[in-house]
Amino acid sequence: MFKKHIVRAVATAAVVFGGIGLAGCSGGGDGGGGGAEGDLVTVGFVAVGPEGAWREANEANIQETFTEDAGYDLRYAPATNLDQQSQIDAFTSFVDEGVDVILLSATEGSGWEASLERAQEAEIPVILIDRGIEPNDDSLYATRIAPDNMVVSESVAEWAVSAFPEGANYFVLEGPAGVSVVNERNEGFQSVIGEDDAFVSLGAQTANWSTEEARSVMETVLQANDNDVQFVFAQNDEMGLGAVQAVEAAGLTPGVDVQIATIDGTRPALEALAAGQLSFVAEYNPLFGETALEAVETVLDGGEVDSYIIVPSETFDSPEAAETALPDRQF
Ligand code: AHR
């Protein structure tokens, strides 16, 4: 069905969507916009729903991009309490409805093969938004659009190596188990820190992207280690802000006694960096609605898309860098 090429590896092969040459038409589905000129293209968005500032920004940006004015009928289906079965049910309904294209942000990495195969049989292209699937079989979807989690988390580790020339005792606050980005961020981070004996791991634990859970986890870690923790890697901003609260509650100074690095780059995190509470913030840019729209148009027109479209992201390593970015921050 699909042939692909990998952006990062720059090994290429071409992707042609089923050779149907669907210019003006939309995808395999007949649930709407495949017909006459001017028909809306129907997009089924199997989304994550409420999960924090990053997710809110990402899903709002997708919805603000795929508008009727732009020729789209976007059907937004957030998961119920992050439950994968509710996503699979929504996905199945979209295939049965015969939508023209499906956007998928998976709450869990595994368990998508059957659904993706059904969409393929129905010739409905699927585009992964942010989250990957595991095992990663890119013959089952048209493309994945996201910042590069490996590179983003490597940047956190590289900053730590420069910030702690003598090494440090560190702890990792992870996102939920089973989520592709969590595994990718661990892999990227460990590919650098794991090579440096001066860095001593005190462990890792999920705090489910939550400030409250991260605070409670870090309070336990600080007590268990007599506050002998110099560095915390929080896999998202909310958990990083929870670590700040725990450090302060322990009578320590965040940014001085304990340095905390996060991923996402939301406004609250940049404000905490500007205030010296966080020490490093690696952006995970959520604003890629336009990139998704271009990929949808290309795929529905029978054009080539890369199997992984990487969204550029930047890093912030000082209060000044945060202050410079804050005025125009959109998320
Ligand atoms: O998948 C991306 C992650 O999901 C973000 O880093 C986190 O904040 C969100 O909940």
Side-chain angles (χ1 to χ4, degrees):
M1 181 64 110
F2 303 130
K3 300 179 196 153
K4 313 216 166 226
H5 63 218
I6 311 277
V7 173
R8 213 169 334 132
V10 197
T12 56
V15 167
V16 175
F17 177 70
I20 306 176
L22 299 170
C25 289
S26 43
D30 55 4
E37 197 60 36
D39 272 8
L40 295 177
V41 172
T42 53
V43 180
F45 184 14
V46 179
V48 171
E51 192 199 45
W54 189 93
R55 186 66 52 195
E56 195 183 326
N58 176 254
E59 297 193 354
N61 183 248
I62 299 276
Q63 292 175 80
E64 288 153 11
T65 304
F66 288 85
T67 60
E68 278 201 21
D69 290 352
Y72 292 89
D73 167 13
L74 181 98
R75 302 173 186 179
Y76 177 61
T80 310
N81 304 324
L82 303 177
D83 171 51
Q84 183 185 35
Q85 190 53 49
S86 69
Q87 287 200 313
I88 290 174
D89 295 346
F91 191 105
T92 302
S93 312
F94 286 142
V95 171
D96 294 345
E97 285 168 34
V99 297
D100 299 305
V101 61
I102 292 174
L103 306 179
L104 170 62
S105 289
T107 58
E108 305 243 355
S110 60
W112 285 103
E113 291 80 3
S115 299
L116 293 170
E117 280 159 8
R118 282 199 69 233
Q120 225 167 30
E121 278 145 29
E123 294 197 355
I124 298 175
V126 175
I127 291 180
L128 305 183
I129 298 292
D130 167 34
R131 300 279 175 80
I133 57 165
E134 293 179 337
N136 180 35
D137 176 355
D138 63 14
S139 74
L140 290 174
Y141 57 85
T143 185
R144 177 185 177 189
I145 306 175
D148 186 324
N149 284 282
M150 296 277 287
V151 169
V152 169
S153 54
E154 283 164 15
S155 73
V156 174
E158 282 147 8
W159 166 81
V161 169
S162 64
F164 298 97
E166 316 298 314
N169 297 340
Y170 73 93
F171 190 84
V172 179
L173 291 165
E174 296 179 344
V179 172
S180 66
V181 300
V182 171
N183 301 331
E184 291 160 353
R185 290 174 187 182
N186 277 333
E187 193 181 336
F189 180 76
Q190 287 303 329
S191 70
V192 175
I193 285 287
E195 305 301 307
D196 192 326
D197 299 344
F199 281 83
V200 178
S201 171
L202 300 173
Q205 188 176 335
T206 184
N208 294 310
W209 306 129
S210 145
T211 297
E212 295 68 37
E213 288 190 45
R215 175 183 173 144
S216 128
V217 169
M218 277 315 300
E219 283 177 350
T220 307
V221 170
L222 287 164
Q223 275 156 21
N225 293 280
D226 302 323
N227 292 342
D228 187 12
V229 181
Q230 288 81 49
F231 170 41
V232 176
F233 168 33
Q235 287 193 345
N236 87 331
D237 290 346
E238 277 91 347
M239 295 191 293
L241 298 174
V244 166
Q245 294 172 7
V247 167
E248 289 173 339
L252 302 170
T253 307
V256 179
D257 302 314
V258 182
Q259 301 209 38
I260 302 159
T262 72
I263 290 179
D264 275 352
T266 58
R267 173 172 287 282
L270 291 185
E271 286 164 352
L273 178 59
Q277 294 177 315
L278 293 179
S279 299
F280 183 82
V281 175
E283 179 185 74
Y284 188 74
N285 184 352
L287 307 181
F288 50 85
E290 283 302 326
T291 306
L293 189 136
E294 281 163 29
V296 165
E297 289 182 346
T298 303
V299 164
L300 293 183
D301 279 349
E304 288 189 8
V305 288
D306 297 310
S307 63
Y308 193 148
I309 298 171
I310 294 173
V311 177
S313 288
E314 56 185 313
T315 61
F316 304 93
D317 62 1
S318 69
E320 296 71 32
E323 276 150 15
T324 305
L326 274 167
D328 306 327
R329 206 68 183 158
Q330 294 166 41
F331 61 93

